[in-house]
Amino acid sequence: MVNHERALLTMGFVAFIAGLGLFFVNCTCALLANVFSEGFMILALMTAIAITIRSSF
């Protein structure tokens, strides 16, 4: 009975840790995607401004 409970507890703990890890990975990916998209937008804007300045001169 004790072994069974311990196994259940261990499984629950592992599942909890796995869920937590997945949650953190998901958050990190979302954050990175946000940062990258923002950086890409700024880069595109800078490139557009540079091209505009170059073509005007």
Side-chain angles (χ1 to χ4, degrees):
M1 190 65 187
V2 177
N3 269 350
H4 184 65
E5 278 181 9
R6 185 175 283 175
L8 261 173
L9 201 70
T10 307
M11 270 174 62
F13 185 69
V14 168
F16 174 72
I17 292 295
L20 208 66
L22 208 66
F23 175 73
F24 272 114
V25 167
N26 219 0
C27 280
T28 307
C29 281
L31 200 71
L32 278 177
N34 212 5
V35 168
F36 273 123
S37 66
E38 218 160 277
F40 185 71
M41 287 286 287
I42 291 167
L43 198 70
L45 200 67
M46 292 289 239
T47 308
I49 290 168
I51 289 167
T52 310
I53 289 169
R54 235 197 222 144
S55 61
S56 64
F57 276 121

